[in-house]
Amino acid sequence: MNIAVLIKQVPVSNDVSVDPETHALVRASSEGMINPADLNAIEEAMQLKEQTDGKVVVFTMGPPDAEKALRDAMALGCDESCLITDRAVAGGDTVATAKVLAKAIQLYGEFDLILGGALSADGATGQVAAMVAEELNLPHVVEIQSVKYKEDQAGKVEVVKKMHDTSFRIACATPAVLSVNFGCNEPRLATLRSKRAAKSKPLVTYTNAELGFAAEEVGIKGSPTVTVDSFQPETKKSAKMLTGTPAELAKQLYDLIEEEKGK
Amino acid sequence: MANGICVYAESYNGELETVAAELVSAAKGLAETTKEKVQAIVLSDHAEELVKELDKLGVDEIYAVKADHDITLQDDAVSAAIAEMLKKIEPSAVLVPATPQGRSIFSRVAMRLGCGMTADCTEVLAAQREDGSFYIKQNKPSYGENVFVTILTKEGIYPQMMTVRPGVYAACEAKESGNANVKFFDDIKIEKSGVEILEELPAENTTDSILGAEVVVVGGRGVLEDDNFELLEKFAEKVGGAIGGTRPMVDSEMIPFNHQIGQTGLTIRPKICISFGVSGAIQHTEGIKDTNLYVAVNTDENAAIFGVADYGIQADLKEILENYLTL
Ligand SMILES: Cc1cc2nc3c(=O)[nH]c(=O)nc-3n(C[C@H](O)[C@H](O)[C@H](O)COP(=O)(O)OP(=O)(O)OC[C@H]3O[C@@H](n4cnc5c(N)ncnc54)[C@H](O)[C@@H]3O)c2cc1C
Ligand SMILES: Cc1cc2nc3c(=O)[nH]c(=O)nc-3n(C[C@H](O)[C@H](O)[C@H](O)COP(=O)(O)OP(=O)(O)OC[C@H]3O[C@@H](n4cnc5c(N)ncnc54)[C@H](O)[C@@H]3O)c2cc1C
């Protein structure tokens, strides 16, 4: 089973601000890490690979230094990687992003499964995976807990998804796109040895020269939506501060709660 | 010409979801300014019953597709049918619940129609261009610092598509009956899906407890130290409250994901909310609405939470909890 995993490099901390001119994120530090849910996607991919053979290829679209995220992923056992980097594709919304990811996957080769995280820690729309599926005309299941391959069910995988306080066991025809919930498994760790091995694993770089989009199809220009403003919420009120010793404060809290309950 | 504010009437097992009535409220608010019709679309194997329920919400037009089987999770096929419906209806805007189902289906629709989709709006506002045409300001919390961003669908692109967070608009009240124009699109078929449900296993129903709770006790990163969480549990038991938390609490696996409160978690409306060791990030406080009593305990007098709560206690949460438990 050949598996593509989409990973996004996200800022290590929430320590970002918004540029008042462009409304884009300004990161206090350029340090990035693999989006947490994507580590769970990598783990699912590795387990499938161990069971079925085949290879796992990680893809990321981002600035050139996103190569680090790809090396980290290969240190976790992924076999090959693909960096999509070009000013032309930067700054896109989810539609523009998904278009580029889908094209890169197609250009790279054939896959039985495409896995991603359910939600990124920064943009956090949770839209990209289903959009990639639409662009590639494949079925999808998002926000899943696990994916299994069953020997006797060729052309399908079995997926578990929780929704409406119910756990669904689902058959999904392959090739398919699946997005994996944060925390659904215990991602493996890299070792010194696997980190060293990752340095010599293949990393292909695609720019728009390879992808061949017209300038108005991708990036900010190719995005149907645009961020036009950022603003501070009105501070509605300020809390009445209670004073006293901890014991007195606890008693005041008690009285407030009991009074409200009695209403 | 694109015309109409259209709501996706989400349903599950033949029942309309409450969020549908919330989105109808939001749509009516927009239509008051833009003077457009309020529309709803529904696709289900129980379409007829759902149309009757929707009519009671006082929408102007209802468009429906009848499925001949249960279409839960068949989002490849469902999204294709919705795209066909929207091409016929030509609304200027589509409001979608920011739920797992809404996100999954409409991400595909937005891609197929090329219209894009703004995620997780907490406010949608009608605004007017110089030429008199209307557009919708799609507001949502941003990443990191405490600001909101306004996202627009570029001029000329229709429909303007957005997901709206459940819980931010009050549901409009259902009347005895309505007089909407109803149209069933019999020519639109829901094609075969690559997705098939094999089995439904009941999972533990833990979310309801917090959504319905009158008292919610919220723990933040400050609770992660020492045995503070145990104290919090005892406190919650004493006040008869459910426990919710911030993202760090979920990330550190203190509480399950479906107890996270905020932008990427639940929106709650408890009567009483007491938070311990929560800084008050907008992504979190957006998830708490309409409380009668909101008290925050935090050691930092400048914590943003003191700009949101009714009462503030600047103190070590451990000491407050320990003292409370002796009362
Ligand atoms: C504050 C803020 C708000 C935004 N709001 C919107 C909005 O409402 N609508 C909109 O269309 N866009 C929005 N964007 C832009 C959007 O975040 C970007 O398009 C982003 O590149 C992808 O979306 P996401 O991070 O939300 O992905 P999600 O859909 O949350 O990510 C899910 C998964 O998709 C994969 N993935 C996502 N991005 C990449 C990538 N670059 N390379 C490889 N895999 C990837 C990963 O597997 C990831 O785990 C917003 C951006 C910001 C900063
Ligand atoms: C796209 C996106 C979506 C997000 N969605 C959510 C969401 O849905 N829900 C959510 O909660 N967060 C969400 N976040 C994260 C959010 O921005 C904050 O990082 C988070 O809410 C902070 O949690 P916290 O208040 O527990 O921790 P912190 O911000 O670290 O605050 C801890 C507070 O505890 C106080 N404290 C520490 N020790 C004590 C003590 N002993 N006694 C009293 N006070 C003490 C400190 O003074 C501090 O104010 C999201 C972020 C992003 C970018």
Side-chain angles (χ1 to χ4, degrees), chain B residues 28 55 144 204 223 244 284 312:
Chain B
K28 284 180 178 172
D55 198 11
E204 67 290 14
V223 169
H284 170 69

mmCIF file of all heavy atoms in Angstrom, chain B residues 28 55 144 204 223 244 284 312:
data_model
loop_
_atom_site.group_PDB
_atom_site.id
_atom_site.type_symbol
_atom_site.label_atom_id
_atom_site.label_comp_id
_atom_site.label_asym_id
_atom_site.label_seq_id
_atom_site.Cartn_x
_atom_site.Cartn_y
_atom_site.Cartn_z
ATOM 1 N N LYS B 28 -31.885 35.244 8.817
ATOM 2 C CA LYS B 28 -32.921 36.272 8.875
ATOM 3 C C LYS B 28 -32.312 37.629 9.212
ATOM 4 O O LYS B 28 -32.728 38.662 8.673
ATOM 5 C CB LYS B 28 -33.984 35.900 9.914
ATOM 6 C CG LYS B 28 -34.937 34.805 9.444
ATOM 7 C CD LYS B 28 -35.960 34.483 10.516
ATOM 8 C CE LYS B 28 -36.941 33.409 10.019
ATOM 9 N NZ LYS B 28 -37.829 32.956 11.107
ATOM 10 N N ASP B 55 -40.261 24.160 7.754
ATOM 11 C CA ASP B 55 -41.284 25.153 7.418
ATOM 12 C C ASP B 55 -41.703 25.934 8.669
ATOM 13 O O ASP B 55 -41.966 27.127 8.621
ATOM 14 C CB ASP B 55 -42.488 24.442 6.784
ATOM 15 C CG ASP B 55 -43.383 25.419 6.028
ATOM 16 O OD1 ASP B 55 -42.949 26.570 5.824
ATOM 17 O OD2 ASP B 55 -44.504 25.035 5.663
ATOM 18 N N GLY B 144 -3.513 32.897 17.830
ATOM 19 C CA GLY B 144 -2.605 33.537 18.771
ATOM 20 C C GLY B 144 -3.231 34.667 19.540
ATOM 21 O O GLY B 144 -4.142 34.445 20.311
ATOM 22 N N GLU B 204 -19.419 6.141 24.658
ATOM 23 C CA GLU B 204 -19.855 6.752 25.909
ATOM 24 C C GLU B 204 -20.306 8.189 25.619
ATOM 25 O O GLU B 204 -19.644 8.941 24.921
ATOM 26 C CB GLU B 204 -18.741 6.698 26.958
ATOM 27 C CG GLU B 204 -17.509 7.523 26.687
ATOM 28 C CD GLU B 204 -16.633 7.006 25.531
ATOM 29 O OE1 GLU B 204 -17.080 6.142 24.731
ATOM 30 O OE2 GLU B 204 -15.524 7.492 25.434
ATOM 31 N N VAL B 223 -4.094 24.335 36.443
ATOM 32 C CA VAL B 223 -4.561 23.178 37.215
ATOM 33 C C VAL B 223 -3.634 21.980 37.018
ATOM 34 O O VAL B 223 -3.709 20.980 37.728
ATOM 35 C CB VAL B 223 -6.017 22.841 36.780
ATOM 36 C CG1 VAL B 223 -6.470 21.517 37.329
ATOM 37 C CG2 VAL B 223 -6.964 23.947 37.226
ATOM 38 N N GLY B 244 -15.053 21.143 32.433
ATOM 39 C CA GLY B 244 -14.572 21.426 31.091
ATOM 40 C C GLY B 244 -13.160 21.955 31.198
ATOM 41 O O GLY B 244 -12.646 22.152 32.302
ATOM 42 N N HIS B 284 -10.634 30.501 23.637
ATOM 43 C CA HIS B 284 -11.327 29.787 24.705
ATOM 44 C C HIS B 284 -12.618 30.522 25.118
ATOM 45 O O HIS B 284 -13.691 29.919 25.177
ATOM 46 C CB HIS B 284 -10.410 29.618 25.917
ATOM 47 C CG HIS B 284 -11.117 29.117 27.126
ATOM 48 N ND1 HIS B 284 -11.613 27.839 27.205
ATOM 49 C CD2 HIS B 284 -11.471 29.727 28.291
ATOM 50 C CE1 HIS B 284 -12.215 27.683 28.377
ATOM 51 N NE2 HIS B 284 -12.149 28.818 29.050
ATOM 52 N N GLY B 312 -13.568 38.471 39.814
ATOM 53 C CA GLY B 312 -12.204 37.978 39.716
ATOM 54 C C GLY B 312 -11.628 37.698 41.082
ATOM 55 O O GLY B 312 -11.890 38.437 42.038
#
